[in-house]
Every structure is written in C-alpha cells, then in structure tokens.
Amino acid sequence: MVSMIITGRGGAGKTTMTANLSTYFARRDYRTLVIDGDLYLPKLAFHFGIYNPAYNLHTLIKNRNMRVVEAVYHDVKTGVDVLPGSPRLYDVLDLDQRRLRSIVREIQSRYQITIIDSPVGIPFDTISTFRLAQYQLVVIEIERSPIHTIHRMIENEVMKLKSLGEAYGLKVGVVINKVRESSPSVDDIVDFLEATVDVPVVGMVPFDDKVPEATNYGRPLLDYDSHARASKAFSETGVILDEWIFGVTRKRRGSLLKRLYTAFLSLLSRGRAPMGEEF
C-alpha cells in the first residue's frame, strides 16, 4: 500500500501527470486509485470522461454515513479507479478538509498505489493526507521561465514543496514536463535539481500537442495514443517510479539519469513543438 501526492504550480501538468501515471500502473496490474484532492477546482475526472458524478469526494466529505466505495468509479479502458471531485459550485462550500484524511485512510488500504492530485502551489487542500503518503512528486514546467531565472524559480518552487514533503517524511522526486528546451539547457537544470536542490529527477516529458487532444476526448494520453511522444515519456517515468517505489526493474539500461536522457532525447528528436504553445 503506497500513496503518492502530485504537487506543483498551476499549469505545470499535475492532473495530466496523475491521469497518465495511474494508467501506467494500472496496466501493469497494480490495483490503482486516483483521488482528486483539489477540493475547490477539481478536474481530474475530466481526464477519464467523468463529467457529472452523482457521488464524489465532496458528497463523501459532507455525508459521513456514505460508504467511500460508493463514490469510486472504475475506468474500464485503463483499469484505474477514480475518486472524483464535484464540478458543482455549491458542493465546494463549507467543506471540512480534515474529513479528506479519514476518507483516504479508509480507501487506500484496498489499493497497491493511490495517487492524489493536489491543488496548485502549496497544497493546503491535501495537507492533511501528507501523513498518509510515502512519496511526493513535484511537477515543474521550465518553458515559461526565462532560462537565466530558472534556478531562482526552482529555488522558490521546488525547494518549498520539497521541504514540505520532507517535513512529513515523504520521499520527493521531480518530473520536468512540457520540455522544449535544448539538451544543454535541460542538462543544466537536471544537474541543478540533483546537485544543489538534492532531489532526484525521475522523469522528463516533452511538449506534445496530443495531450490537450486526449483531454478533450476525456482520456489519458496513454490510452488515447500510446505511440505519442509524451505517452512514451510518461511510460518511461512510470518505469523509473516502479523501480523507485516498488523495486521493480524492467530491462535495466544503466543509471537512472542515463535512461532518462536516452529516452528523452530520442523522443525530442522525433519532432519539436512550435514555441509559444501551451497545453
């Protein structure tokens, strides 16, 4: 029973990462649950084509007599179980955030891995669940930060989230998402993260316009187009996390960083996204 909390700033791709990593683990026969921990702007369910769940995390928080399993939806195509939030405004009012922790404690024992999608920035909505987790994944996007200030952004963003996770005893890793920078720039950022910030980089995902296309169809990219560049990078990240968390080695190809660079540069060389676009 392992729980991981996905954190990061707005627009970095936390929810997309949650949907695709959970798909990776479910397809490797791990009993996998995802929870939308963004209590005020939940959107994880959209990635699984769930748009108006009658029962959800918010109804569980407000109704203590409701069984948690009644709000869990099984996605047949990916094998992921989803505990969604409510998209309705009146459901997010007057929430007892402490109730979230008891819900997670009750349901996570049924699964081998539970992934919690946090709100943007400091995850106040999910802070009560940090004591139940073992891992924290910080998703960062470097494209929107000028390269000469990227170190300052990392210090301001990653170091705060890392310190928060470590205060609760979590093992913290970083995924660099939506990458369009040249290899030397990425190398420098990885070196800074691992040497100065002292946090492992466990994944690098290239920019891919297939990501918003998949979201519009209500599917994780790994299910929508498993051959897309970002899909292959999500899978490579999953392989590394599988080894990091569960000790499972799949076709080991040298050091973690060497595997990352080899996989990422191979993906990036297949085509570059135009600058200025976002997903």
Side-chain angles (χ1 to χ4, degrees), residues 172-185:
V172 183
V174 168
V175 173
I176 306 174
N177 195 27
K178 308 182 192 178
V179 179
R180 290 173 284 195
E181 295 290 349
S182 63
S183 175
S185 297

Side-chain angles (χ1 to χ4, degrees), residues 6 16-25 115 137 234 237-238 241:
I6 309 290
T16 298
M17 194 68 59
T18 300
N20 283 282
L21 289 180
S22 63
T23 298
Y24 169 86
F25 282 110
I115 303 177
L137 203 60
F234 286 133
T237 302
L241 289 174

Side-chain angles (χ1 to χ4, degrees), residues 83-96:
L83 179 49
S86 172
R88 296 182 291 271
L89 176 62
Y90 63 83
D91 282 341
V92 306
L93 303 176
D94 301 322
L95 292 176
D96 179 3

